[in-house]
Amino acid sequence: MTGLKRAIVTDIEGTTSAISFVKDVLFPFAAQHLPSFVAEHASSAEVSAVLKSARDHLGNPNLPTDELVKTFLQWIAEDKKVTALKTLQGMIWKSGYERGELKGHLYPEVAQVLATWKAGGHALYVFSSGSIAAQRLLFAHTEYGDLTPLFSGYFDTTTGSKLNASSYTSIAQAVGRPPDEVVFLSDHEGEIAAAQEAGMRVVCLVREGQNTHQNSPYLRATSFREFDPQAI
């Protein structure tokens, strides 16, 4: 260890924010607005690039837009981790946040504890399957105000799968820290296992109403207040 404070990388769903916010608020909002959003913006460079990416993913460069929209809606229903979908959802959510129709949910202690960790010298990062744009939007429009100044960087599926150790190795390299100087926070044991395999220190969050992970071999916590990242 160096004398530096540890870097902290946090998941979002089930960790900083309720899974129900994504499942019951964000996903339905994107599904409701996706057809009209694509129809209105399909010719824009941004959306056109997303549609091309989705067609490439499907191996069908000539798939009609209306069929592609149906595929996007199916992916939302199945919670597919497809980068093109995540990017498009982020665009739709951006318009909702900017209109004040959406507010990013956080568990009650998260904003204050993140601010305390930041003030204490820890560098904070996010790694979520949602796009970086969507991550920024959530933290910029919370009930506690704009929290984006607390974070030094964001990572999404363009870095790699959250279930692959190589993704966490890449994140450690990107933040310029040895893996054992990085703490990863998540509610998902598969992600925790991958981060630990890469050499990171880990905490498994067990939020109310979620899997209790009774037989988990990892350090568990029900709140960010229950552990000191420097002591893990």
Side-chain angles (χ1 to χ4, degrees):
M1 276 289 297
T2 70
L4 294 174
K5 293 287 187 176
R6 290 179 176 145
I8 301 170
V9 181
T10 183
D11 173 45
I12 294 178
E13 279 188 71
T15 304
T16 65
S17 310
I19 293 174
S20 60
F21 173 67
V22 176
K23 302 291 187 185
D24 300 338
V25 178
L26 289 185
F27 281 8
F29 187 90
Q32 177 187 350
H33 294 276
L34 190 148
S36 60
F37 186 87
V38 170
E40 184 177 350
H41 300 284
S43 60
S44 72
E46 265 191 323
V47 175
S48 179
V50 170
L51 300 183
K52 180 182 183 302
S53 174
R55 289 185 175 105
D56 289 346
H57 178 84
L58 293 165
N60 187 349
N62 300 312
L63 186 67
T65 299
D66 59 342
E67 291 299 318
L68 192 54
V69 165
K70 291 178 183 177
T71 300
F72 277 127
L73 295 176
Q74 181 179 344
W75 284 345
I76 291 175
E78 297 173 353
D79 191 15
K80 292 289 189 182
K81 312 298 185 185
V82 179
T83 298
L85 170 64
K86 297 300 181 180
T87 302
L88 184 59
Q89 285 176 316
M91 294 177 185
I92 296 168
W93 292 331
K94 181 175 187 291
S95 65
Y97 281 117
E98 290 177 346
R99 293 194 303 269
E101 297 176 20
L102 292 172
K103 283 286 185 184
H105 173 269
L106 296 178
Y107 288 112
E109 88 286 357
V110 168
Q112 184 176 7
V113 175
L114 288 177
T116 299
W117 288 344
K118 176 73 171 180
H122 295 288
L124 307 181
Y125 301 87
V126 179
F127 183 27
S128 173
S129 58
S131 69
I132 289 174
Q135 297 171 29
R136 290 180 182 275
L137 284 168
L138 187 153
F139 287 110
H141 299 86
T142 78
E143 306 161 66
Y144 307 92
D146 180 3
L147 303 188
T148 56
L150 298 178
F151 295 100
S152 298
Y154 305 82
F155 301 92
D156 61 12
T157 53
T158 60
T159 295
S161 168
K162 296 182 75 180
L163 299 178
N164 291 344
S166 60
S167 300
Y168 300 89
T169 300
S170 296
I171 288 173
Q173 292 172 344
V175 306
R177 305 290 287 274
D180 71 346
E181 291 185 9
V182 182
V183 180
F184 178 62
L185 315 177
S186 175
D187 69 315
H188 193 293
E189 286 201 2
E191 298 172 3
I192 291 287
Q196 187 175 73
E197 182 183 343
M200 289 186 179
R201 299 165 190 268
V202 295
V203 180
C204 184
L205 272 296
V206 186
R207 295 295 188 173
E208 184 178 358
Q210 293 177 211
N211 187 328
T212 57
H213 302 297
Q214 289 295 335
N215 300 316
S216 173
Y218 310 108
L219 175 63
R220 296 184 298 155
T222 62
S223 163
F224 281 9
R225 296 192 187 281
E226 293 182 3
F227 59 92
D228 175 1
Q230 197 67 13
I232 296 170

